[in-house]
Amino acid sequence: MSNRSQSITAILTKAVLDHRLVPGCKLGERELSEIFGTSRIVIRQALIRLADDGLATIERNRGAFVAKPGMQEAIELYDALTLVEQGVAAQLSERLGPAGWNELRQHVERQRQAVEAGNDALADLLGQEYHTLFVRLSRNKVMQDIHAQLIRRTTLLRSLIPADFE
């Protein structure tokens, strides 16, 4: 993927997560290529990445649209995340040394402090990062890649339902 395509993907991702592009909104290649001043091929690459991340759907002969995740997709995504993280937990329970456990404890403490301070945005971010840290400590690159893809796919779901720490 080109740098330009990556940049456009990041811009479109932010627009989706900020709800400036709402679920079901058409993402026309021609319109986007005019807006960004680039070729439709570059736009198509960005749309494919959005689809890979679960933020868009591409329908044959219709085009690309901002994804409209349903309850079944949410259940399946979180089931998959649970299975991945349970597998990592089983490995870590046998392999993780004191330094790894300490890193996890410190992370949890930072999130607790954010909750107590009423900083829900930071607490939510730290909660998300905890799962990534947890999987990273497994030192299993394949598992990290799978987990990262699942996390990207849950991003739209999470943006539609804000976290509540009360």
Side-chain angles (χ1 to χ4, degrees):
M1 182 182 297
S2 70
N3 286 340
R4 183 69 176 138
S5 179
Q6 289 175 336
S7 173
I8 292 168
T9 300
I11 292 166
L12 292 174
T13 296
K14 183 160 177 34
V16 169
L17 298 180
D18 290 346
H19 303 284
R20 287 180 283 128
L21 292 172
V22 297
C25 175
K26 180 148 176 62
L27 301 169
E29 287 181 14
R30 185 177 31 151
E31 294 83 0
L32 290 170
S33 68
E34 290 173 10
I35 290 168
F36 289 105
T38 191
S39 72
R40 289 176 66 176
I41 293 170
V42 171
I43 296 299
R44 191 171 300 124
Q45 290 173 337
L47 294 175
I48 290 169
R49 178 58 191 259
L50 283 177
D52 288 346
D53 290 346
L55 297 178
T57 58
I58 299 174
E59 299 176 19
R60 186 173 167 89
N61 297 325
R62 293 199 62 228
F65 301 85
V66 175
K68 292 190 287 187
M71 184 58 73
Q72 186 60 37
E73 179 181 358
I75 291 168
E76 290 173 3
L77 280 170
Y78 283 103
D79 279 350
L81 275 169
T82 298
L83 290 170
V84 167
E85 291 177 5
Q86 284 176 340
V88 168
Q91 285 185 334
L92 290 181
S93 68
E94 298 173 4
R95 299 181 191 171
L96 192 61
W101 287 114
N102 190 43
E103 190 173 356
L104 288 172
R105 280 189 203 96
Q106 289 174 356
H107 196 92
V108 169
E109 179 59 21
R110 285 193 305 273
Q111 185 179 19
R112 186 191 62 72
Q113 291 171 355
V115 170
E116 287 179 358
N119 190 343
D120 289 354
L122 178 59
D124 188 40
L125 178 63
L126 289 168
Q128 294 172 55
E129 289 175 352
Y130 175 85
H131 293 270
T132 301
L133 169 62
F134 186 73
V135 173
R136 183 178 52 79
L137 289 171
S138 73
R139 292 184 174 83
N140 182 324
K141 179 70 169 122
V142 172
M143 195 61 72
Q144 290 172 29
D145 290 346
I146 291 168
H147 188 262
Q149 183 183 36
L150 290 170
I151 292 295
R152 287 192 304 269
R153 291 190 63 195
T154 63
T155 306
L156 179 58
L157 291 169
R158 293 180 51 74
S159 77
L160 296 173
I161 305 168
D164 183 8
F165 289 97
E166 293 183 47

